[in-house]
Amino acid sequence: MRLKVLFIMFSVIATQFALAQRSVRIGYVDMDYILENVNEYQVANELLQKKVAKWKKEIEEQQLSIEQMKEDLDTERILLTKELIEEREVEIKALEEEVLDYQQDRFGPQGDLVRQRSQLVQPIQDQVFNAVQELAASRKYDFIFDRSADVVMLFAEKRFDVSEQVLRMIDINRKTDAREGKPSVLEAFEEIDPELKARQDAYEEKKSERDSLIEARRAAKLKEIEDRKKAYEERRKKMLEEREAKRKAKEKENGEEGSEENSEQSSEYN
């Protein structure tokens, strides 16, 4: 960093010697300030934040669905066969891996957020660069630095700040482009990213298939549980009926034995 500053200072001094016939004109811009005052950037940034919120919501919904599946499995484990338990565990693990992949696709180093943010900032940076070039050429500037970049500026006199002039130049260029029918930065940002759209469509299709599969398995699982309950009730009913039949048979047998004893006692008395 110090070498860069020394190099810049050396370049300025060298240029002063080379341009001994006139003074060197130096200016700087504040990129952060410019971005804050470019309406297209603000609107596009809001659109990006809405996308980020949507992606986060999708991830949260998937995680809640997985947690619900784990709770259901814990609740119904006693009613399921070993094969069904293993199948459900494999399905839950696959969904967890899918969520991790989705998080990486959206928020990873090469994910959609980084790419979309680059698509948002790059056109604005191009606008600023073009405006700076035009300003430098028309006002005879020798150097224009970016205060928000890596260049260390220990002190910068406000009168050398040309950010407002750059903003005016951007506004002029915007109006010129509008008259010529060229798309604005916002329109370019709102254009659908083919890769992003393909990934989103694939995700929606996969999600739909997964939801259908989960619903089918849930219905099959509920039917199996219902069948097990029904079979248990039938066995219980049959067992109760058999127990009742044995009780009645025993009562009948005891009644017959009592009748025979009474008959024998009556015969002996006579």
Side-chain angles (χ1 to χ4, degrees):
M1 187 65 69
R2 291 181 178 179
L3 290 175
K4 182 181 290 187
V5 175
L6 291 174
F7 175 76
I8 293 172
M9 293 176 63
F10 176 78
S11 299
V12 172
I13 294 172
T15 304
Q16 286 179 324
F17 281 108
L19 303 175
Q21 300 301 321
R22 67 178 180 86
S23 61
V24 177
R25 296 202 68 188
I26 299 175
Y28 69 88
V29 295
D30 188 335
M31 180 64 76
D32 294 335
Y33 173 78
I34 291 174
L35 292 179
E36 290 174 359
N37 288 274
V38 175
N39 183 62
E40 290 90 343
Y41 178 82
Q42 297 301 321
V43 175
N45 192 50
E46 290 179 6
L47 293 175
L48 179 58
Q49 293 306 315
K50 288 181 180 179
K51 288 184 179 181
V52 170
K54 179 176 180 291
W55 296 338
K56 288 182 177 179
K57 183 179 179 181
E58 290 172 348
I59 292 173
E60 290 175 0
E61 289 176 350
Q62 292 180 60
Q63 291 173 334
L64 288 175
S65 176
I66 291 173
E67 290 302 318
Q68 185 62 52
M69 291 176 67
K70 288 181 178 179
E71 291 179 8
D72 292 344
L73 178 58
D74 291 338
T75 303
E76 301 158 4
R77 188 179 295 271
I78 193 173
L79 299 173
L80 302 175
T81 63
K82 181 180 178 181
E83 291 76 13
L84 280 175
I85 292 174
E86 291 177 351
E87 180 181 342
R88 296 273 292 280
E89 289 175 341
V90 169
E91 180 182 355
I92 290 172
K93 184 178 180 180
L95 288 175
E96 288 176 332
E97 292 176 353
E98 182 180 323
V99 172
L100 290 176
D101 290 340
Y102 185 75
Q103 286 178 315
Q104 191 70 10
D105 289 340
R106 294 305 195 192
F107 301 104
Q110 305 297 325
D112 296 329
L113 177 58
V114 174
R115 191 173 65 253
Q116 289 279 288
R117 185 166 286 157
S118 175
Q119 292 176 351
L120 166 62
V121 175
Q122 188 61 48
I124 305 298
Q125 289 178 332
D126 291 342
Q127 277 192 343
V128 175
F129 178 77
N130 293 334
V132 167
Q133 294 296 313
E134 293 179 19
L135 182 65
S138 62
R139 303 291 178 86
K140 306 299 182 181
Y141 279 95
D142 297 297
F143 297 97
I144 296 181
F145 301 104
D146 179 4
R147 185 175 186 177
S148 60
D150 293 335
V151 178
V152 177
M153 299 182 70
L154 300 178
F155 174 77
E157 179 64 45
K158 182 63 179 176
R159 62 192 178 91
F160 295 121
D161 186 354
V162 296
S163 300
E164 291 292 346
Q165 299 177 47
V166 171
L167 284 170
R168 286 195 293 272
M169 190 71 69
I170 290 175
D171 187 57
I172 292 172
N173 292 338
R174 181 194 299 121
K175 292 177 180 178
T176 302
D177 291 341
R179 286 196 300 269
E180 295 176 356
K182 295 180 180 179
S184 66
V185 173
L186 182 59
E187 290 172 342
F189 179 73
E190 287 181 322
E191 289 180 358
I192 298 176
D193 184 339
E195 183 178 348
L196 177 62
K197 184 177 185 302
R199 184 180 294 175
Q200 184 67 28
D201 291 344
Y203 166 73
E204 293 295 342
E205 182 178 355
K206 190 173 183 179
K207 182 176 182 295
S208 178
E209 292 176 356
R210 185 182 69 245
D211 291 344
S212 299
L213 180 61
I214 290 175
E215 187 61 31
R217 288 181 177 178
R218 186 181 296 276
K221 175 194 66 179
L222 292 175
K223 185 177 183 302
E224 180 181 358
I225 294 174
E226 194 64 29
D227 291 342
R228 285 175 177 269
K229 288 181 179 180
K230 186 177 180 180
Y232 170 76
E233 290 296 331
E234 290 178 353
R235 289 197 302 271
R236 182 172 178 275
K237 182 179 178 181
K238 184 177 181 181
M239 182 181 67
L240 291 175
E241 289 175 349
E242 290 176 351
R243 184 181 298 174
E244 182 67 16
K246 287 180 180 180
R247 186 184 65 80
K248 289 182 179 180
K250 189 173 183 179
E251 289 180 351
K252 183 178 180 181
E253 182 180 348
N254 291 337
E256 289 177 352
E257 288 178 355
S259 178
E260 289 177 357
E261 290 178 357
N262 292 335
S263 178
E264 289 177 357
Q265 291 175 359
S266 177
S267 297
E268 291 176 357
Y269 178 77
N270 292 330

